[in-house]
Amino acid sequence: KMPIQIVVCPLRGAVRQLLLVAIAIMALLTSHQAVGAERVEDINLPQELWTVAYEYAKAKGMDLAKTSVDQLYRVAKGLSNHDGTRDKALQILHILADDGSVSHAPSQVALGMFYYKQARHHQPNSKDGETNNDPRQRALNYFLAAGEGGGSTAAMYNAGRIYAELGQFVPAMAYVYAAATAGHDDTDSSDEDHNQQHGHYLEETAVEAFEILSHKVAILVQSEEITLREYADVFFYANLHNEEESEESVASLWKEAMMLADRIDQANATLVKPGNLKTSTTSLSPQQAAQFQADLVQQLDSLVQLWALASNAEDPSSISMLQGFLLLHHVLYRVLLPLVSWPPLLENTDDKNERYIPAAAGYAEALVLSPFCSLSTASNDHRSSLASIDNDNDGSSCLEETAQLALGLYQQANDRSGIRRMKELLLQQQQQQRGRYYHQNQPHRLNRPKANRNCS
């Protein structure tokens, strides 16, 4: 295994469907000047393409002799609307997008959208996600170039969506986060109100996508389909409302805890996973067990400090609901449960760690009450723009399984109040499930109006 690296997206400071609609194209038409060459005479364009572009510009009353790269881009967009000149338009866009002296962001976005449309008719194979054979990968490359080099909000959003479609949810969260927090694109348009309107629309759709991706990440965590490295990285992109002071404290504590978690993982190849605690065949020497326990306790100290910071009423935005869920889940399943119930550890230490049982019960109950645990039982009907990335696992077992775990831990701790709360919660959950089953299996009946007894 490679040592874990806490990756922070370089864009960090900065929809209903993938923005393949005219509104996004209009928003990007005037979004950025070229970052290299700024005038058309600086572009190495073949004579054949110059001729086609010049004739089209002349017919439209445009002068290409001394003008900006954006003007040539608009000519290429116009040519792309006609079957006879579409190939020439693509060649011009490729030169504007691919030439390192130009690197024109709107052209890169236009090509990203073109190749994404091609993906609708593409038959993927098992290796497409790793090569350029999948048009989505070509589209992604252009969106990444426009987002990172040109600062395009729409490009960052679209890159995030494609990453999600490819099942890479950490970079998906990173780029959707960047789109949602980047503000509006800089524009050179005279129609400032028009661009602000589209900027607000882009930001709103990115926030909506961020919420859906957050739910998806929570489901992946519950089903153990996320690696420790992904777990560590996604935490940094899981809060749209960071404050600088609290953000630095949160990031420092989380990084410290994840470094310890990685060290444990490196030293114990068959380390603890939820559900495996009592069936692991790992054997530890007394010295290994002592080091393992020390690392877990040190990690717990950092995470307890982080949870205390999150519970600060004066700064409720210090961590988001998803960050709280990730924190609770990690503390419970990767720290406290190994301390109190992992046989290879308990068999080689004199301390049976019973003092951690009440804490484990408390964290289990807090996880049960976490919105991402309780909301995972809800219908998927509210998911719109990113519904296609959802898998069949709706995470409906999170609340019940964690509540059963909390009940067992409270029973070990002989905490009558905790036992009563968990029993009441499980009973309520069973009643809700019976109600859903009843309504789903009732035949549809027509509501007939009652007879009016006052009529003769």
Side-chain angles (χ1 to χ4, degrees):
K1 299 180 182 178
M2 295 293 293
I4 193 168
Q5 295 181 357
I6 304 300
V7 180
V8 179
C9 178
L11 296 170
R12 180 124 197 251
V15 204
R16 307 191 190 284
Q17 298 175 355
L18 182 69
L19 300 181
L20 298 174
V21 290
I23 191 170
I25 298 175
M26 292 174 67
L28 288 163
L29 271 172
T30 57
S31 57
H32 297 283
Q33 294 283 356
V35 297
E38 295 184 356
R39 308 194 70 81
V40 292
E41 57 261 33
D42 300 325
I43 300 173
N44 185 22
L45 203 66
Q47 185 59 44
E48 179 186 6
L49 297 181
W50 269 123
T51 301
V52 173
Y54 180 79
E55 290 178 353
Y56 178 87
K58 184 177 180 181
K60 297 294 182 179
M62 302 163 63
D63 183 10
L64 279 182
K66 292 183 179 180
T67 188
S68 68
V69 171
D70 285 334
Q71 189 81 319
L72 180 57
Y73 162 74
R74 295 186 182 95
V75 168
K77 291 295 292 182
L79 292 170
S80 69
N81 294 326
H82 305 281
D83 292 339
T85 56
R86 186 167 293 120
D87 288 344
K88 297 291 190 295
L90 284 174
Q91 292 178 51
I92 295 173
L93 289 174
H94 268 291
I95 291 173
L96 294 178
D98 299 339
D99 188 334
S101 66
V102 184
S103 298
H104 190 244
S107 298
Q108 292 165 339
V109 172
L111 288 171
M113 292 182 176
F114 171 78
Y115 286 116
Y116 188 84
K117 288 178 181 178
Q118 278 196 339
R120 297 178 182 177
H121 310 290
H122 177 71
Q123 296 297 326
N125 57 54
S126 59
K127 296 182 179 179
D128 274 346
E130 304 171 3
T131 70
N132 283 335
N133 292 332
D134 187 343
R136 291 179 302 178
Q137 189 63 51
R138 296 194 70 179
L140 175 61
N141 292 339
Y142 280 112
F143 287 136
L144 291 176
E148 295 185 358
S152 166
T153 303
M156 290 186 284
Y157 170 82
N158 291 334
R161 175 169 176 103
I162 293 177
Y163 270 126
E165 291 182 359
L166 296 174
Q168 300 179 44
F169 291 99
V170 174
M173 285 285 289
Y175 281 96
V176 171
Y177 169 94
T181 58
H184 310 318
D185 286 344
D186 294 329
T187 69
D188 62 353
S189 171
S190 59
D191 190 352
E192 184 175 345
D193 292 339
H194 172 81
N195 285 287
Q196 284 185 350
Q197 179 182 355
H198 291 305
H200 285 300
Y201 177 78
L202 289 169
E203 186 177 346
E204 289 173 1
T205 50
V207 170
E208 178 188 356
F210 182 87
E211 292 172 352
I212 296 169
L213 276 172
S214 296
H215 193 125
K216 177 63 179 178
V217 167
I219 292 174
L220 292 176
V221 169
Q222 293 162 25
S223 57
E224 302 174 52
E225 297 178 34
I226 189 168
T227 67
L228 178 61
R229 180 175 300 182
E230 291 172 330
Y231 203 107
D233 288 346
V234 79
F235 186 90
F236 292 102
Y237 311 112
N239 191 353
L240 293 179
H241 307 289
N242 284 328
E243 298 291 339
E244 282 193 21
E245 293 183 4
S246 62
E247 181 181 3
E248 290 180 6
S249 301
V250 167
S252 176
L253 289 168
W254 181 255
K255 181 177 179 179
E256 180 181 346
M258 291 301 101
M259 290 297 184
L260 286 166
D262 181 62
R263 188 169 76 184
I264 294 172
D265 213 13
Q266 295 288 325
N268 300 272
T270 58
L271 177 69
V272 198
K273 286 187 178 180
N276 287 351
L277 295 175
K278 296 184 179 179
T279 59
S280 173
T281 58
T282 302
S283 59
L284 299 176
S285 68
Q287 294 79 9
Q288 289 174 322
Q291 182 61 54
F292 183 58
Q293 172 153 328
D295 287 343
L296 287 174
V297 172
Q298 187 178 353
Q299 187 181 171
L300 179 61
D301 289 342
S302 296
L303 294 172
V304 167
Q305 292 181 56
L306 181 51
W307 183 247
L309 182 63
S311 304
N312 183 1
E314 296 179 1
D315 187 14
S317 66
S318 58
I319 70 171
S320 67
M321 288 192 297
L322 178 58
Q323 287 177 319
F325 173 83
L326 294 171
L327 171 60
L328 291 169
H329 195 279
H330 186 85
V331 171
L332 177 62
Y333 284 108
R334 281 190 172 267
V335 181
L336 287 172
L337 285 187
L339 280 172
V340 302
S341 61
W342 198 38
L345 177 63
L346 299 180
E347 290 169 0
N348 290 280
T349 57
D350 296 330
D351 185 357
K352 300 307 179 184
N353 294 333
E354 293 180 352
R355 65 187 181 281
Y356 293 111
I357 292 177
Y363 274 92
E365 182 175 3
L367 183 60
V368 169
L369 300 177
S370 166
F372 280 101
C373 189
S374 57
L375 286 179
S376 64
T377 62
S379 164
N380 292 340
D381 293 343
H382 66 285
R383 305 180 194 181
S384 54
S385 59
L386 295 181
S388 61
I389 68 171
D390 294 323
N391 61 18
D392 295 332
N393 180 4
D394 66 355
S396 60
S397 62
C398 176
L399 191 150
E400 184 175 354
E401 288 183 0
T402 310
Q404 291 283 5
L405 174 61
L407 175 60
L409 289 166
Y410 277 129
Q411 289 172 338
Q412 290 183 57
N414 197 26
D415 185 333
R416 295 182 180 180
S417 178
I419 293 170
R420 175 181 53 78
R421 291 195 304 273
M422 290 301 97
K423 284 185 175 180
E424 290 176 353
L425 189 147
L426 286 167
L427 179 60
Q428 182 182 11
Q429 177 71 6
Q430 291 171 0
Q431 291 172 342
Q432 290 176 351
Q433 289 178 345
R434 291 194 193 102
R436 284 195 295 268
Y437 177 82
Y438 176 81
H439 289 294
Q440 289 171 0
N441 289 276
Q442 287 300 301
H444 294 287
R445 298 177 180 177
L446 294 175
N447 293 322
R448 298 183 179 182
K450 294 180 180 180
N452 187 342
R453 296 183 180 180
N454 294 325
C455 295
S456 56

